[in-house]
């Protein structure tokens, strides 16, 4: 059990909302600098909004910035059920989050160590701490179940 299990469970609830809306089950939360208070929640809404940028992380980061009244999310933690893609990792870097915590690796599009490592690229001006594998089995089960219903034999 880690200190990120409880917020990851909230992110998993968000992932289920994405799935209910017909989208890939990915959920995210942004924690305040105290590490406990949830500033914002988000889930994939690409299908609902017909918006390619409506990833869970982007939705949550936008709402957190509104809640704080600043695009700078210094000290905040982004918790997400799937390793961020390049767009979402870039958004986390630009938002200056202190930490990105994720559950499942994404070997096809992950930008936090699987395919690329954008979050820890020394050429960038900000590098959040990365914590991987929190409640990974739960996130993998959601994703596997979702894609199993969409594959044809």
């Amino acid at each position: 059990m880690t200190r990120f299990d409880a917020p990851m469970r909230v992110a998993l609830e968000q992932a289920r909302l994405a799935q209910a809306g017909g989208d890939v089950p990915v959920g995210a939360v942004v924690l305040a600098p105290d590490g406990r208070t949830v500033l914002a929640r988000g889930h994939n809404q690409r299908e609902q909004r017909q918006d390619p940028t409506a990833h869970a992380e982007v939705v949550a980061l936008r709402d957190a910035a509104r809640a704080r009244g600043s695009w700078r999310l210094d000290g905040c933690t982004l918790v997400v059920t799937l390793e961020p893609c390049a767009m979402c990792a870039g958004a986390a870097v630009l938002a200056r989050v202190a930490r990105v915590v994720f559950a499942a690796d994404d070997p096809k599009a992950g930008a936090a160590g699987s395919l690329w490592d954008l979050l820890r690229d020394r050429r960038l001006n900000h590098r959040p701490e990365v914590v991987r594998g929190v409640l990974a089995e739960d996130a993998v089960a959601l994703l596997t179940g979702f894609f199993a219903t969409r594959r044809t034999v």
Side-chain angles (χ1 to χ4, degrees):
M1 182 149 183
T2 73
R3 66 183 170 139
F4 299 114
D5 284 7
M8 186 61 76
R9 284 190 184 91
V10 176
L12 286 163
E13 290 171 15
Q14 289 295 306
R16 288 182 192 92
L17 291 175
Q19 184 171 10
D23 218 320
V24 177
V26 178
V29 298
V30 176
L31 302 176
D34 68 12
R36 291 183 303 278
T37 305
V38 175
L39 287 176
R41 296 169 170 81
H43 58 275
N44 275 1
Q45 297 178 35
R46 295 175 306 166
E47 296 297 333
Q48 177 185 348
R49 296 184 183 185
Q50 291 301 299
D51 177 356
T53 69
H55 288 206
E57 300 94 323
V58 172
V59 171
L61 289 168
R62 285 177 178 159
D63 287 352
R66 273 193 290 278
R68 287 193 85 188
S70 173
W71 62 269
R72 293 179 185 270
L73 299 177
D74 299 310
C76 293
T77 299
L78 173 63
V79 178
V80 61
T81 60
L82 181 64
E83 179 179 0
C85 68
M87 175 182 70
C88 295
V93 168
L94 293 173
R96 311 294 196 269
V97 298
R99 176 177 314 98
V100 175
V101 177
F102 67 91
D105 289 346
D106 185 353
K108 292 184 179 181
S114 289
L115 187 58
W116 299 288
D117 201 352
L118 191 65
L119 293 174
R120 292 177 283 210
D121 191 319
R122 294 199 174 278
R123 295 169 292 182
L124 297 175
N125 65 338
H126 179 75
R127 289 178 299 282
E129 174 190 355
V130 175
V131 178
R132 67 188 320 150
V134 176
L135 299 182
E137 290 178 4
D138 295 343
V140 168
L142 261 179
L143 290 161
T144 302
F146 176 81
F147 286 113
T149 66
R150 281 156 177 73
R151 288 193 184 103
T152 57
V153 181

